[in-house]
Amino acid sequence: MSTPKFAQIKQFIVNNIRSGMWLENQRVPSENELTAQFSVSRMTARRALSELTEAGILTRSQGLGTFVASFKSQSSLLEIKNIADEVKARNGNYSCTILVMEAIHAIAPIAIALGVEVDSHVYRSVIVHNENDQPLQVEERFVNPHLAKDYLHQDFHRHTPHEYLSQVAPLTEARHTVEAIMPSSEMCQWLNLYNEEPCLQVIRRTWSSAGIVSFARLVSPGSKYRLGGHLTFKK
């Protein structure tokens, strides 16, 4: 099966960015230029540019054109996305490194966050999410075993904790806080940071209709990750 034309255009653009031929904030070919270069309709060229813009690879400015976006990975602050899908949407290669999978006794802060009794058993995982074999985010997650009893038996190389929990305890509510932190030496090791730099930390609690499902700490290097969102207001 031949590759669709819009996908060929997307790969052409991504390859030029990855190779360093097109630099951050550099203008990329317009819809008309891509239409002529690839012998496609303008709609096909627009689809390629639009999908790369939605993935955060390109940025469009009305009247000026389309440009290579900042090289920081971007996640939405207004919705919860699966990090593997975010990476793949940027035409990146997703992988993960599982550091910890264990059952622990919940100390008071964790018990309160999960709505369980102090010293009761909860599940803990620590996973490094990678993009193109480079650490992008450390996810430390505590899970209520009553709502995800098989959590520790999952192969998170095949699907992320977010994907699994969304299946067994569909999300109904989420709350999160965002702050800049200086990483610990252990965190620097997990993220392959040779020089300390500020990191972005997201603390997130998620609920299903049956109660609190998980409490997670997501940490990413400030130089590689950012949060963004788009709001549309009704008149």
Side-chain angles (χ1 to χ4, degrees), residues 102-142:
E102 63 182 357
I104 64 171
H105 293 283
I107 60 176
I110 296 171
I112 293 170
L114 288 177
V116 299
E117 295 292 327
V118 173
D119 209 36
S120 63
H121 274 93
V122 299
Y123 298 149
R124 174 178 179 254
S125 61
V126 180
I127 297 174
V128 180
H129 300 289
N130 308 305
E131 181 170 4
N132 299 326
D133 298 321
Q134 295 299 314
L136 178 63
Q137 182 183 88
V138 171
E139 172 191 309
E140 181 179 26
R141 188 182 293 268
F142 300 92

Side-chain angles (χ1 to χ4, degrees), residues 153-192:
H153 302 297
Q154 301 305 303
D155 181 1
F156 289 128
H157 293 104
R158 299 180 59 187
H159 51 247
T160 64
H162 172 74
E163 288 177 295
Y164 169 70
L165 294 174
S166 295
Q167 292 176 357
V168 299
L171 184 68
T172 59
E173 182 182 351
R175 297 176 189 169
H176 48 224
T177 59
V178 182
E179 64 179 330
I181 64 166
M182 291 304 295
S184 65
S185 57
E186 183 179 49
M187 188 64 68
C188 286
Q189 181 179 359
W190 290 342
L191 289 171
N192 282 354

Side-chain angles (χ1 to χ4, degrees), residues 2 7 44 47-48 71 86 102 119 128 145 172 181 187 209 219:
S2 61
T44 298
R47 177 178 177 181
F71 294 149
E86 290 184 20
E102 63 182 357
D119 209 36
V128 180
T172 59
I181 64 166
M187 188 64 68
S209 58
V219 179

Side-chain angles (χ1 to χ4, degrees), residues 9-26:
I9 297 173
K10 287 174 64 177
Q11 194 59 57
F12 165 74
I13 293 171
V14 169
N15 288 344
N16 281 336
I17 294 173
R18 283 186 178 168
S19 69
M21 184 176 297
W22 293 352
L23 303 178
E24 186 174 353
N25 299 320
Q26 182 174 337

